[in-house]
Amino acid sequence: MKIAPSVLACDLSDIRSGLKEMAYSGCDMVHWDVMDGHFVPNLTFGPGTVRWARNHSELPFDVHLMVTDPMQYLPLLTDVGVEMVSFQIEATSFAPRLISLMRELDFKPSVAINPQTSLVAVEEILDLVDNVLVMSVDPGFGGQEFMSSTFAKLEKLVEYRESQNLVFSIQVDGGVNLNNANELAATGVDIVVTGSSFFRAEDRPAFVRKIRGMDR
Ligand code: DX5
Ligand code: ZN
């Protein structure tokens, strides 16, 4: 599996060191949790921070928009050097339009889905996206416990992907650690976001090697 640590879990007064740590440890991408204080009851950083940080990392940037108006943020992220952007399906009624705009702006479109939301909500757009981000905690905060109900949703999603011959990657976000990563890999997950578990690991390169070695 690929590993994308969340910046949210590093020392936010020293993001540069967090980014260095990710590169040194062999991570695949950097996960940015952009929150607006409306869609979720928390505020983090915005496109400006991501833009400045681009000078301090060579890793692909993966932006997770937990905002009520994702359309408004996309123009602010152009020319920043962001590879993939996730929007929350709960935040829009116009997902196909949003996805087209993402493609025009050269972002890999990804749809994120909250624990309470059924897969039915994204079914009609699964052929349009490059990635599906399955939330395994309620969004808004790092360090929460992984919800085991996520596995049933992942199994359905993997099954659907296979049956429809679709090619999107599957990413899981929230409470991922070495205790559940093996099962996630076995289920068919391609990318895991690891905030707290990565930054709390004593030997981060070894942590990354373990997760990267796990595959279906
Ligand atoms: C939650 C965020 C996650 C979270 C991951 O709103 O989307 O990316 O920060 O952090 P951990 O791994 O600590 O749950
Ligand atoms: Zn996230």
Side-chain angles (χ1 to χ4, degrees):
M1 286 190 297
K2 287 189 176 171
I3 175 163
S6 170
V7 172
L8 185 61
C10 79
D11 174 347
L12 291 180
S13 66
D14 188 12
I15 290 178
R16 249 193 239 194
S17 298
L19 294 171
K20 266 194 204 140
E21 202 53 48
M22 292 184 204
Y24 164 79
S25 308
C27 299
D28 295 284
M29 52 184 112
V30 178
H31 186 79
W32 290 92
D33 286 308
V34 172
M35 303 183 189
D36 66 351
H38 292 277
F39 184 77
V40 287
N42 196 5
L43 265 176
T44 49
F45 22 71
T49 309
V50 180
R51 185 183 293 273
W52 276 104
R54 192 61 285 184
N55 300 328
H56 305 288
S57 174
E58 309 258 296
L59 291 175
F61 278 6
D62 158 34
V63 170
H64 179 189
L65 294 175
M66 279 161 281
V67 301
T68 38
D69 189 355
M71 194 79 96
Q72 193 183 31
Y73 282 79
L74 293 183
L76 304 177
L77 287 167
T78 51
D79 304 325
V80 173
V82 169
E83 184 167 304
M84 183 158 83
V85 178
S86 297
F87 65 94
Q88 291 281 155
I89 193 66
E90 300 83 3
T92 182
S93 308
F94 309 108
R97 190 183 299 161
L98 190 59
I99 293 166
S100 308
L101 180 61
M102 286 180 165
R103 292 232 182 256
E104 268 169 42
L105 298 176
D106 241 3
F107 301 128
K108 285 187 181 167
S110 164
V111 62
I113 176 166
N114 278 342
Q116 70 173 41
T117 308
S118 158
L119 280 178
V120 174
V122 295
E123 218 172 83
E124 300 296 333
I125 57 157
L126 288 178
D127 57 336
L128 304 178
V129 293
D130 287 359
N131 184 70
V132 179
L133 185 161
V134 177
M135 285 304 300
S136 37
V137 297
D138 274 333
F141 302 93
Q144 302 181 77
E145 202 179 322
F146 182 90
M147 295 182 184
S148 54
S149 55
T150 313
F151 283 114
K153 193 184 248 177
L154 288 170
E155 276 163 26
K156 269 194 208 159
L157 187 60
V158 169
E159 223 175 84
Y160 187 86
R161 178 172 65 175
E162 282 168 6
S163 70
Q164 303 296 310
N165 279 320
L166 293 172
V167 289
F168 57 82
S169 49
I170 299 178
Q171 183 178 24
V172 174
D173 185 6
V176 176
N177 55 41
L178 287 178
N179 297 325
N180 51 33
N182 249 321
E183 199 173 337
L184 291 173
T187 310
V189 171
D190 305 288
I191 311 166
V192 283
V193 175
T194 52
S196 321
S197 58
F198 171 77
F199 282 104
R200 280 188 202 143
E202 264 177 42
D203 183 344
R204 293 177 188 139
F207 175 87
V208 172
R209 276 197 302 276
K210 274 186 204 154
I211 298 234
R212 293 193 72 186
M214 295 174 185
D215 269 309
R216 209 178 187 189

